[in-house]
Amino acid sequence: MQAKRYYFFVVFAVLLDCSIASTDPDCQNLTRRHREILECCEAGAIIPLKDIADCPAAVGVDDPFEKMTCYTKCNFEALGLLNGEEINEEKLFEYVDRLDDPWKEEAIDAVSDCLEKLAVLSEKMSKSKSSATMHCHHAARAISACLIRKTIDWCPYVEWRDSSFCYKVRNGHCFKFRDRSANDHGLVLHKGPTK
């Protein structure tokens, strides 16, 4: 009976914690709030994303994940960061070069780390059947997701905006159940259907 009571308490506590995080308005629709997340780092976004109203690659794409992948691809093309399916590393480091120290040094390390992770991911994706069914190539989305995660983790604390939303993003409140080792700072592109 004691074990049953303990089990019930643990399940209740986990469900309560899940419901608190999921009902917190600051934690909803984070995928669409990437620009707002980047603004939490007042030192400046590593990549200054643009508003892309027209993205022909996203036309007819229904899956929200794939649609975001296509919009990111369009964004990177507009910024000159993508040559076909390859990241334009020289241009990427030009964006980093416009930042001020000490954030610039962190951003150089972040970009280098994300490019290494992209190389590993691309190797895995080349062997995967799921990559062949994607509407848009994964490179831009992978680098963007990785750099957003690095911005959250590595932005100097003196440059981190003092707001409720930014605090929740930085301390992991909105990412309580994110497996950092599994997604390797945002490089997991799609975990498959959640049905």
Side-chain angles (χ1 to χ4, degrees):
M1 186 67 174
Q2 187 75 12
K4 211 177 217 181
R5 208 176 286 154
Y6 174 75
Y7 175 77
F8 175 76
F9 176 75
V10 169
V11 170
F12 177 75
V14 168
L15 290 174
L16 179 65
D17 195 35
C18 286
S19 66
I20 289 170
S22 64
T23 59
D24 186 330
D26 279 338
C27 297
Q28 294 175 355
N29 300 320
L30 289 178
T31 304
R32 292 188 205 133
R33 298 176 75 184
H34 63 274
R35 200 173 310 280
E36 191 177 349
I37 291 171
L38 290 174
E39 289 171 357
C40 287
C41 184
E42 295 178 340
I46 296 171
I47 299 173
L49 298 174
K50 296 174 165 260
D51 288 321
I52 302 293
D54 185 30
C55 179
V59 173
V61 178
D62 296 325
D63 180 71
F65 174 82
E66 287 193 44
K67 192 176 260 319
M68 182 58 79
T69 300
C70 292
Y71 274 110
T72 306
K73 178 181 180 270
C74 291
N75 215 317
F76 271 52
E77 288 171 339
L79 294 168
L81 293 169
L82 202 59
N83 295 326
E85 296 179 352
E86 298 290 321
I87 296 293
N88 181 342
E89 294 182 25
E90 186 178 314
K91 186 72 171 175
L92 187 54
F93 280 105
E94 282 179 25
Y95 280 109
V96 173
D97 203 39
R98 72 182 182 22
L99 300 170
D100 295 325
D101 285 326
W103 178 226
K104 180 179 179 178
E105 295 304 314
E106 295 286 356
I108 289 170
D109 291 343
V111 168
S112 298
D113 193 44
C114 289
L115 287 169
E116 287 176 23
K117 289 177 186 340
L118 175 62
V120 171
L121 177 68
S122 293
E123 179 68 25
K124 289 178 184 175
M125 293 290 285
S126 69
K127 297 173 185 174
S128 168
K129 292 178 185 174
S130 66
S131 64
T133 62
M134 293 183 72
H135 292 275
C136 296
H137 194 266
H138 66 273
R141 171 71 185 234
I143 288 291
S144 179
C146 182
L147 290 178
I148 289 170
R149 187 72 242 160
K150 297 285 185 192
T151 299
I152 292 168
D153 291 344
W154 294 8
C155 181
Y157 279 95
V158 295
E159 299 286 354
W160 194 254
R161 180 172 288 155
D162 185 21
S163 75
S164 173
F165 173 71
C166 293
Y167 175 76
K168 289 174 186 175
V169 166
R170 184 89 187 236
N171 77 9
H173 175 77
C174 295
F175 303 105
K176 285 182 182 183
F177 303 103
R178 180 174 63 94
D179 181 359
R180 282 183 178 233
S181 63
N183 84 357
D184 208 8
H185 289 303
L187 281 178
V188 164
L189 293 177
H190 193 30
K191 293 187 179 183
T194 55
K195 293 177 184 173

